[in-house]
Amino acid sequence: MYKRIIALLKKDILLELRQKHTFYGILLYIAATIFVLYLSIDKPDANIWNGLFWVILLFVCVNAVAKSFLQENKGRMLYFYSITSPVEFIISKMIYNILLMTMMSLLTLMLFSAFLTNPLNNFLLFTGIVLLGGSSISIVFTLMSAIAAKAQQNAALIAILGFPVILPQLLLLIRLSKTAFAEIFKQGAVMQLMALIIGLDILVIAMSVILFPYLWKE
Amino acid sequence: MQKNWWKILSFLLLVYTIVGGFLLDVPRLFILNETIRNLYFHVCMWFGMMILFSTSFVYSIKYLRGFNLRNDIYAHQYAAVGSFFGILGYATGTIWANYTWVTDQSQSLGNILREPKLIGAAIALLIYGAYFVLRGSFTDMDKKARVSAVYNIFAFAMLFPSIWIIPRLVGSLHPGSPGSESGNPALNFKDIDSRLRMVFYPAIIGWTLLGVWITTLRIRLQLIKDKTLLHD
């Protein structure tokens, strides 16, 4: 099982390395949006900075993860169907998307703090939260992309399906990231929030593993 | 008659709810006063919504187990009526809050909609809104049924964090919030006056039965429309 997951993961990474245009497309997307923000507002205060950051990260994720199932055409899906199980397939996609999103969120964070000043008190803590948030968002959008790939107008559908579902997690993340802006939390509240986000991630992973086999069959 | 007793029960309970709800004596609290009567309508909508969504969830699972289109129609209609109850619950709650949660003179509707309870409820309604959009985007019946069943199960799982868990964590003016020493995010059961209970419990049963009644009518209509597709 692990072997096949790793093989699938390798295939996705290789594809990414060979077709660099999608990767650079997302990079350009990040750079352009942040530059637009830089030109339209100077020195946003901490709350606005935080809100903008998560919204940008959400849109980056939609763009990065959306293609994970769209790029697989019908013939190739048929091939995967004959060589792997759906559980291995969805897990490999999730791991790949988490890796991709980790990179993208770090990059977003770097550009954000370079262009839009840096109101953070605890940069390291915020980086940790961003990594957690990036992977949570990408897990949810992996399943949404799998669902949307079944319908015809997929790209728009991912946003429609995913945004309401991601809202609870996003609210928790925005709340949690306020610790990095030196907001004082009640004793244990940070751990509670963190545990809740991780719990939600586990719930989403479990749901994906259970539900994907039904999506997979054509 | 044997099959329809619950419809009559629903009718009688709702007549009792409306007559008793407006005429029986209620405790008069500061600010709330007579508006407490909205308890018989507002809270019951959420009960109805939760029960209808749960039923929809069960039918979605049943669909994925046997791929019987009938179950998909059931799941769709229960979700539709559940969302309708949700919208009614949201509207009654917002209007109620607009008059009773006065914190300052310049209070606007925008401030009230920011309440954690209302945000959670709005997220729940948006999730189900996405479910209907998803259903609309398919042309193939079987594919539509299968994919929307998957999304419905996922939506139901995501409903719990948004309306049951997150509102518990944040302070709110809504009864049952962290400050008010109760385990339930919606209302404090130990805190209800016995005069309210007399109408409140029958009202929950009455409204829920009405929801199921509306759904069965819609299901029957849909089954007739799709008669040619259902060969069983």
Side-chain angles (χ1 to χ4, degrees):
Chain A
M1 181 171 175
Y2 296 109
K3 243 187 200 163
R4 270 175 293 188
I5 291 175
I6 288 167
L8 282 168
L9 201 60
K10 225 181 196 169
K11 167 232 134 204
D12 270 334
I13 293 169
L14 256 170
L15 262 179
E16 195 70 71
L17 289 175
R18 292 201 183 146
Q19 305 177 318
K20 289 206 183 71
H21 66 276
T22 48
F23 184 77
Y24 287 128
I26 301 162
L27 286 190
L28 193 66
Y29 182 86
I30 296 173
T33 33
I34 292 173
F35 193 63
V36 168
L37 281 179
Y38 165 69
L39 292 178
S40 48
I41 37 172
D42 50 22
K43 289 198 185 143
D45 66 329
N47 256 330
I48 294 175
W49 194 95
N50 192 20
L52 278 175
F53 178 81
W54 287 105
V55 171
I56 297 287
L57 201 65
L58 181 64
F59 277 91
V60 167
C61 187
V62 173
N63 279 292
V65 174
K67 61 166 190 50
S68 65
F69 279 87
L70 306 190
Q71 70 178 10
E72 314 286 11
N73 58 25
K74 217 167 180 177
R76 210 191 281 168
M77 282 306 276
L78 209 63
Y79 176 59
F80 291 136
Y81 190 78
S82 65
I83 58 167
T84 57
S85 78
V87 175
E88 290 161 359
F89 191 73
I90 189 81
I91 289 176
S92 83
K93 282 282 183 204
M94 268 183 204
I95 295 172
Y96 171 71
N97 283 331
I98 289 172
L99 289 178
L100 183 69
M101 208 43 211
T102 303
M103 216 152 67
M104 292 301 167
S105 24
L106 285 179
L107 222 94
T108 315
L109 180 59
M110 254 162 56
L111 283 175
F112 229 80
S113 38
F115 275 102
L116 293 163
T117 66
N118 183 3
L120 292 164
N121 269 43
N122 192 338
F123 194 79
L124 219 62
L125 181 65
F126 191 75
T127 314
I129 295 167
V130 167
L131 291 182
L132 177 67
S135 28
S136 318
I137 299 172
S138 61
I139 293 168
V140 170
F141 275 93
T142 309
L143 183 65
M144 289 305 123
S145 146
I147 290 175
K150 289 282 156 198
Q152 269 71 46
Q153 321 93 314
N154 5 40
L157 205 59
I158 290 175
I160 296 167
L161 295 180
F163 282 10
V165 172
I166 198 71
L167 269 173
Q169 256 155 318
L170 208 61
L171 287 178
L172 289 176
L173 284 166
I174 291 173
R175 181 112 194 83
L176 180 63
S177 53
K178 284 186 180 155
T179 41
F181 293 101
E183 190 179 303
I184 307 295
F185 272 73
K186 210 164 50 184
Q187 184 84 43
V190 174
M191 278 334 263
Q192 190 190 25
L193 276 175
M194 203 113 67
L196 200 60
I197 293 169
I198 293 168
L200 269 173
D201 285 350
I202 293 169
L203 172 76
V204 175
I205 293 171
M207 293 305 283
S208 314
V209 167
I210 294 166
L211 293 173
F212 185 68
Y214 293 101
L215 285 174
W216 158 268
K217 283 179 216 149
E218 196 60 53
Chain B
M1 190 62 201
Q2 279 163 336
K3 268 185 169 177
N4 291 329
W5 62 271
W6 57 275
K7 293 177 185 171
I8 296 164
L9 179 69
S10 162
F11 175 74
L12 291 176
L13 284 176
L14 287 178
V15 168
Y16 169 68
T17 303
I18 291 166
V19 175
F22 282 111
L23 297 180
L24 287 179
D25 193 31
V26 291
R28 278 179 192 76
L29 294 172
F30 179 60
I31 296 182
L32 274 179
N33 293 321
E34 295 281 343
T35 65
I36 193 67
R37 294 182 197 277
N38 196 7
L39 178 81
Y40 310 140
F41 304 95
H42 168 66
V43 183
C44 300
M45 292 300 137
W46 295 118
F47 271 93
M49 181 193 82
M50 218 40 225
I51 290 164
L52 292 170
F53 280 168
S54 310
T55 320
S56 172
F57 168 70
V58 170
Y59 275 108
S60 279
I61 293 176
K62 276 178 86 173
Y63 176 79
L64 288 181
R65 289 176 68 89
F67 298 108
N68 183 352
L69 267 182
R70 199 174 275 269
N71 288 330
D72 176 57
I73 291 169
Y74 277 62
H76 176 207
Q77 301 302 346
Y78 273 108
V81 178
S83 307
F84 179 64
F85 268 59
I87 292 166
L88 288 180
Y90 190 78
T92 47
T94 314
I95 296 166
W96 194 9
N98 204 10
Y99 290 102
T100 50
W101 291 352
V102 184
T103 46
D104 58 54
Q105 290 306 311
S106 60
Q107 170 122 320
S108 69
L109 194 63
N111 287 340
I112 285 175
L113 293 180
R114 219 171 245 285
E115 276 282 325
K117 293 279 152 39
L118 284 159
I119 292 172
I123 293 172
L125 293 177
L126 282 176
I127 291 176
Y128 276 88
Y131 170 69
F132 300 118
V133 172
L134 181 70
R135 288 191 70 90
S137 69
F138 285 96
T139 43
D140 183 335
M141 281 283 286
D142 287 307
K143 214 178 193 184
K144 168 163 91 180
R146 193 153 42 86
V147 176
S148 54
V150 166
Y151 188 76
N152 193 14
I153 293 168
F154 187 68
F156 189 74
M158 294 312 279
L159 199 63
F160 283 86
S162 63
I163 63 175
W164 294 110
I165 300 174
I166 293 171
R168 271 173 214 238
L169 298 176
V170 251
S172 159
L173 286 168
H174 197 284
S177 290
S180 66
E181 304 293 319
S182 122
N184 191 299
L187 78 172
N188 194 341
F189 275 102
K190 294 177 202 109
D191 208 27
I192 301 179
D193 193 281
S194 57
R195 278 171 289 178
L196 292 174
R197 279 176 212 264
M198 291 242 305
V199 184
F200 180 51
Y201 292 147
I204 294 173
I205 300 168
W207 286 114
T208 308
L209 286 178
L210 183 72
V212 177
W213 190 0
I214 296 169
T215 320
T216 51
L217 290 178
R218 288 179 58 118
I219 289 170
R220 278 159 68 187
L221 199 66
Q222 195 62 38
L223 285 176
I224 292 167
K225 276 184 192 162
D226 292 344
K227 209 170 168 184
T228 48
L229 297 163
L230 301 161
H231 31 71
D232 49 12

